[in-house]
Each structure stands twice: as C-alpha cells, then as structure tokens.
Amino acid sequence: LLGIYGAELNFPVYVVGGFVRDLLLGKKNYDIDIVIEGDGLKYAKYVSKYLRTTFVEHKEFHTGSLFFKDGFRIDIATARVEYYEKPADLPKVEISTIKKDLYRRDFSINAMAIKLNPEEFGVLFDFFGCQNDLENGIIRILYNLSFIEDPTRILRAIRFERRFNFKIEERTLELMKEAINNNYIEKVTGMRLREELEKILSEKNVIDSIIEMGELSIFDHLFWHSKYKKEKVERFKKILKFKKWFENKCNIKNKKIKDFHIFLYSYLACENGEAAIYATERYGLPKKFINNLNRLNIIIEKFKTLPFKWKNSDFYNILGDIDDELKIVISGFLTSKEMEEKYIKYLKAISNLELKITGKDIIKKGISGKKVGEILEYIKIKKLDGEIQDEKEFLERLVI
Ligand code: ATP
C-alpha cells in the first residue's frame, strides 16, 4: 500500500536503514523508516488519511510519523542531505535524492533502501557496497568526516558491532579513535549521548560494549572527574545479574527501574562529588541522583563496620528506606558470599514485611507523640529479625 500511495502521488517511495539491514539478515524489525523522493509531508498526510492513523509532523526536518491504533509506527522523511555547520551540531536539512540521503547515514550496513512503488517493488538500492559489508560483517563509515560531524556514531558503531558480532573496519576504527582522542564526544549534547548510551544499555551483550568503550577511553570523555577501571565492569555485570533476581522477587511496587541510573550509580560510586555533579548536569539526571550517590557512598563505608553476625536489622539500620535502584546497585558492593546471602535474605524479609498493627493500635493503648513512631519502628525491627511472630500480642506485652 505504501508504494501504491507513492505511485498515486508520483513520488518514489523507499523503506530504508535498519529495516532493510535486518530484512537482509533475516531478523525481525518493526521500526519502519520510509524515505520519499518528493514531498514526504504531503505523502505522509495522504497515507494518514487513507489508513486512518494519527499523524505527527516534525516540520523542521521534513519528517512525520504515523501512529496506528495497535501501537505500530511508521516514520516518513523526505530524501535529504544534511549540512553540519559546526561539528557535532544538529544538521541543517536540504531536500535531495535517495542516493545522497543514504550517503549521509551512519554506516554502510544502514545505508540501503528498497523501493516500494509497484513498478519497481522490492528493488534493492545499494550504492556503496553495503550488502557486501553486511555479508562480511563489517561496520564501515561512508565518508571520512563521519565521526567528526556526528560523534554519537562512535557509540552506534560499538552497539552494532556487538549486537551483530561484526567488526569495525580498520580505517573506520582509526578515524573513530582519532575523533575520541580529539575530544569530539565532548561537543555533543548530553541528551543525544544519553539516548545512545541508553540504547547500548538495553542491548543483550552490553558488558562487551562497555569493555570496548572503556578500552577506547570513551568513558573518560563521557564522565569527567572519574576514571574507567576494569573492576567497574565486573561490578556492573554482577549488578545486572542481581537486577533480574530483584525484579522477579522484590520489586513489589513495580516501579520502573532505569538501567541508565543503575549504570551511573555503579560507575560513579566512590568517585569524588564533582563527577556526580557533572553527570547530573550533563545527562539531565533527577536532583535526587547526587543525594542517592552520597548515600550509596556512606552505605559502602558502613558495610565495612557490619558486625560479624549480621541480622536483618543491621542492614535495615544502614539502608533505611532507599530506592529500589539503589537496592540493586548495592549488590555490587557486597564483599563476600556470606554477605550476599544475608543481603538477599534481608531484601526478601523487608519486601514481604507486613505489620498487623498500625499507629492507631498503639495510640489506643494510651501512648501518644513521638513514642508511637518509635514503638512501631521497634516492632518492625523485631519482626524483621524474626524475633516476634504475633505483633498484636507483642504490643500487649510491651505496654504492660
Ligand atoms: P535499531 O535496530 O537499534 O533501531 P536502527 O538502525 O533502526 O537500529 P535508528 O537509531 O532507529 O537505528 O536509526 C534508523 C536509521 O537512521 C539508521 O539505520 C541509520 O540509517 C539512520 N541513522 C540513525 N542515527 C544516525 C546517525 N547518528 N547518523 C547517521 N545516520 C543515522
């Protein structure tokens, strides 16, 4: 249908980018990017009318998105070339042909198009030996200034390399290293970097990507005032494993846990305060991020002073009412198997803890003021340690 509508308007219509790459790789991809040689917005409105979708227009970029009722989405753009007035800036856009449109893309594997108009339906447009690279598992940029114009491609190269188990081509890797060492990453806005980082963190083999980023010293450019160390990767690996367990067993509030936050807490823990301030400002993190990081550092220190026979209440006294994200990150800072086991036991106990009495029951006993909260807390701790079974009865005895 998309091709037929194009023919009706006399516009060549192409599906491009990741969809074509994944189609040739035999992988599923439901992100459809359409490029029109002509007026993409006119086409998008026309399609939207016939397919009864919601249409959202992004005028500045000559693009629009169609949203179907079942959540399916198609992005439509006008074939364009992009000019970068300054390196790492957002591009200025000019209308163009499919060949030039494909040339400005990140890597050859993402720079193919398939025509959809009925008379040439299914014809593959490969101007730059892209299919060859795809078959040989090669990540290659299309022009030498590619990483300088858009340094987010550095992160994208690693993501695709790891996702498909491909290899970054030699010259591409050289130019990538040059762009890193000449501080081009610093020129990109935090939001764009965050977006790419979040994508890396959502991939299956995230750990390999992180190791590679560390080896290429990318983190030193992303997070100032902190240093990449191999042990940070090991810690994050442990934390990710723990996160799976936690989400299954303890995330009773069902709050969304952000891998980006978890990674940053784990990466920036034990670093100086400047690193946290920098990351918060650069990546638009919530205000509580710095407080949480401080809290985490204090917790890590306090863990060193835990008594030999820890009880659940020892953990409780140190952790208090911390965020689920911090509860997960802490798993990376437990220094022995025994401590890990006890921590798991504590988390199970605290997430299943339900007191059968409330402040009102205590007030009924003639107690008031601060004492009510103190007694409630005392009973909670006793219950956590398994020292009381029936809190109502315990309250009776306590009052007497
Ligand atoms: P994924 O499978 O992760 O969604 P994708 O290739 O579809 O991968 P998107 O970020 O959705 O990735 O981008 C869609 C297409 O837009 C890419 O295939 C590529 O052709 C182009 N593209 C995206 N980001 C850039 C960039 N920074 N520079 C150049 N081209 C880009």
Side-chain angles (χ1 to χ4, degrees), residues 21 37 51 102 207 246 265 269 272 281 302 329 388 392:
R21 176 198 68 216
E37 272 178 323
L51 296 183
L102 294 173
I207 295 297
F246 184 87
Y265 285 133
N272 67 36
E281 283 172 5
K302 282 194 177 164
V329 175
I388 52 173
K392 279 188 179 153

Side-chain angles (χ1 to χ4, degrees), residues 31-83:
D31 282 342
I32 299 198
D33 288 310
I34 296 289
V35 170
I36 303 297
E37 272 178 323
D39 185 344
L41 285 179
K42 185 173 169 190
Y43 171 85
K45 282 178 198 158
Y46 188 81
V47 175
S48 175
K49 198 172 92 190
Y50 283 101
L51 296 183
R52 299 207 181 132
T53 64
T54 312
F55 172 58
V56 177
E57 184 174 330
H58 321 287
K59 256 203 179 119
E60 193 190 340
F61 297 105
H62 301 279
T63 62
S65 303
L66 302 179
F67 293 91
F68 292 77
K69 282 201 184 82
D70 55 3
F72 185 66
R73 160 189 181 156
I74 297 181
D75 290 316
I76 296 175
T78 306
R80 64 203 188 194
V81 269
E82 294 175 347
Y83 294 104

Side-chain angles (χ1 to χ4, degrees), residues 16-22 28-29 31-33 75 80 82 84 101-107 109-112 143 146 150-153 156 159-160 163-164 192 195-196 199 203:
V16 297
F19 181 86
V20 178
R21 176 198 68 216
D22 288 345
K28 281 187 192 145
N29 186 333
D31 282 342
I32 299 198
D33 288 310
D75 290 316
R80 64 203 188 194
E82 294 175 347
Y84 292 81
D101 180 287
L102 294 173
Y103 185 64
R104 63 154 191 107
R105 285 172 188 265
D106 49 2
F107 309 111
I109 58 163
N110 290 336
M112 285 176 276
Y143 53 95
S146 189
D150 184 354
T152 63
R153 292 172 187 162
R156 293 176 66 83
R159 178 158 63 92
F160 291 122
R163 182 197 293 175
F164 299 121
R192 291 195 67 217
E195 232 173 75
E196 289 301 337
K199 285 186 185 170
E203 296 273 335

Side-chain angles (χ1 to χ4, degrees), residues 135-178:
E135 275 162 20
N136 295 320
I138 286 172
I139 310 284
R140 181 170 57 89
I141 44 171
L142 295 164
Y143 53 95
N144 286 352
L145 285 177
S146 189
F147 288 121
I148 290 176
E149 283 188 352
D150 184 354
T152 63
R153 292 172 187 162
I154 294 168
L155 300 183
R156 293 176 66 83
I158 293 173
R159 178 158 63 92
F160 291 122
E161 180 192 26
R162 295 300 164 180
R163 182 197 293 175
F164 299 121
N165 201 12
F166 282 7
K167 229 183 148 28
I168 299 176
E169 177 255 348
E170 216 174 293
R171 177 81 184 131
T172 299
L173 187 62
E174 233 173 74
L175 290 167
M176 190 165 134
K177 285 181 182 165
E178 249 176 54

Side-chain angles (χ1 to χ4, degrees), residues 170-287:
E170 216 174 293
R171 177 81 184 131
T172 299
L173 187 62
E174 233 173 74
L175 290 167
M176 190 165 134
K177 285 181 182 165
E178 249 176 54
I180 297 168
N181 296 334
N182 288 322
N183 300 334
Y184 278 97
I185 291 176
E186 277 84 337
K187 297 186 200 290
V188 186
T189 63
M191 281 308 125
R192 291 195 67 217
L193 290 172
R194 176 177 173 159
E195 232 173 75
E196 289 301 337
L197 264 173
E198 284 181 334
K199 285 186 185 170
I200 287 182
L201 291 169
S202 70
E203 296 273 335
K204 267 207 192 101
N205 27 20
V206 40
I207 295 297
D208 290 340
S209 298
I210 290 179
I211 293 172
E212 185 174 1
M213 286 169 72
E215 284 168 356
L216 288 167
S217 76
I218 290 176
F219 287 118
D220 299 342
H221 295 271
L222 290 173
F223 305 119
W224 287 7
H225 313 291
S226 66
K227 263 261 140 304
Y228 169 79
K229 292 182 202 126
K230 265 201 183 133
E231 67 198 54
K232 291 190 179 186
V233 186
E234 284 310 310
R235 185 189 299 149
F236 186 59
K237 198 168 158 184
K238 200 167 149 192
I239 291 171
L240 280 185
K241 199 166 147 214
F242 189 82
K243 178 178 164 252
K244 277 199 190 131
W245 175 85
F246 184 87
E247 283 178 324
N248 267 331
K249 303 278 187 215
C250 299
N251 190 19
I252 39 174
K253 289 177 233 153
N254 217 7
K255 277 198 209 136
K256 186 91 190 94
I257 289 164
K258 286 206 168 93
D259 283 354
F260 186 62
H261 291 169
I262 301 235
F263 176 70
L264 286 188
Y265 285 133
S266 122
Y267 191 87
L268 297 176
C270 309
E271 296 283 356
N272 67 36
E274 271 176 283
I277 295 169
Y278 176 80
T280 306
E281 283 172 5
R282 181 130 206 234
Y283 299 110
L285 296 164
K287 283 258 146 47

Side-chain angles (χ1 to χ4, degrees), residues 235-236 238-239 242 327-335 343:
R235 185 189 299 149
F236 186 59
K238 200 167 149 192
I239 291 171
F242 189 82
K327 282 184 192 155
I328 294 170
V329 175
I330 280 167
S331 67
F333 296 89
L334 304 170
T335 46
Y343 184 57

